[in-house]
Amino acid sequence: MTITAVPAATKRELAEAAMRRSWFPVARIVDLDTPQRATLLGEKLVVYRSGNGTVSVQSRRCPHRGGDLSRGEVHESSIGCPYHGWEFGAGTGACSRIPSLPDQGKIPPKAAIANYPVQLRYGHVWTAPEHPIRDMYEVEEWDGVDLEWLAADPIDSGVGVGVSVENFRDVAHFPFVHKVSMGPSPEVVEPLNVTRDGLDVWMDRPLNAGTGEWAEDGNCMMRYRCSAPGFASITYHYEKLGRRVVAGFPSPVSYEQVKIFWGVANEIGFKGSDLQECLRIEEMVYLEDIPIVEHVEPREIPWDAEVQEFSVPADLFTLNYRRSFNELMSRVQL
């Protein structure tokens, strides 16, 4: 008898599997007055709030004849297909009504759409394609801080989650990419104070506001944070003004394409720039990054060493992010 060896999973396969078991945003809460379309790792989703207030993330395809539920009508406890009116329960996905059927007791018992877990956090609706292997992202420096969030318009980017987060956490590109938003920045990066604990990585670094667009509020201390696979934030702590936040959550449409959901938050009573101005400045930073990052090759972190890379001390934060992602992958069994 010939025994065929099963090849070991590649790191890319583990990365994809780990992301399928992690939380990602799929819509802004402020947009839930109408059903929202989303795609997460190839899964076509509808996101909506029913009349009774239940927020649902479900399969977008009606199992009757393939109608697009994101174009359907939201009812008190269901969403209706725009094609034939079939209704599916909010929070369950079970078919609850077929208008053409005289006896509703004869609804096919397997007529249902996939229903996904939901969390509402940081101005967004979050879900996971499969049972999560990690908790929802928690940020200790926000404990006890009353933050007011403003969710920004999402940004499409043709790279993967890992490349996106590394861009958010990289500090050596500032003098080359962010000349307008940040003004002149030193090219030499000082020794970085980076800490990792499991899936979480953080770094404290002073902000010299300089002469860029964001100079108005002055200097402060920044806490950079990221967590595998797709969370990145900066908390700005101004001694006299209070705290403000920018956070980015790249959500994988596919392995090599993300929709960047993101937002800003101010501590209630913050004495610096208002939320709209903070969003304007941070959006400028994002939009400076996009045309550079979209030409990075490969389009996702080369987990299987398919290309050669070299690192220097300025990469300490992003290298620790990779270690956190590897730890997440170690929780996956294929």
Side-chain angles (χ1 to χ4, degrees), residues 308-328:
Q308 190 174 39
E309 291 187 327
F310 300 93
S311 298
V312 295
D315 300 310
L316 184 61
F317 199 136
T318 55
L319 289 174
N320 274 277
Y321 165 68
R322 294 189 184 194
R323 294 182 184 113
S324 74
F325 208 129
N326 270 288
E327 181 160 331
L328 183 68

Side-chain angles (χ1 to χ4, degrees), residues 115-130:
N115 187 72
Y116 297 89
V118 172
Q119 292 216 33
L120 306 182
R121 198 74 64 89
Y122 315 131
H124 292 82
V125 182
W126 299 69
T127 193
E130 298 179 21

Side-chain angles (χ1 to χ4, degrees), residues 175-188:
F176 309 101
V177 179
H178 300 304
K179 296 176 183 178
V180 174
S181 61
M182 299 184 186
S185 303
E187 294 185 5
V188 175

Side-chain angles (χ1 to χ4, degrees), residues 249-278:
F249 328 112
S251 185
V253 177
S254 64
Y255 183 72
E256 295 182 339
Q257 179 184 357
V258 298
K259 181 179 287 291
I260 301 171
F261 290 93
W262 67 285
V264 295
N266 282 356
E267 182 179 8
I268 299 298
F270 182 69
K271 297 180 176 62
S273 301
D274 64 20
L275 279 173
Q276 289 290 348
E277 176 63 10
C278 291

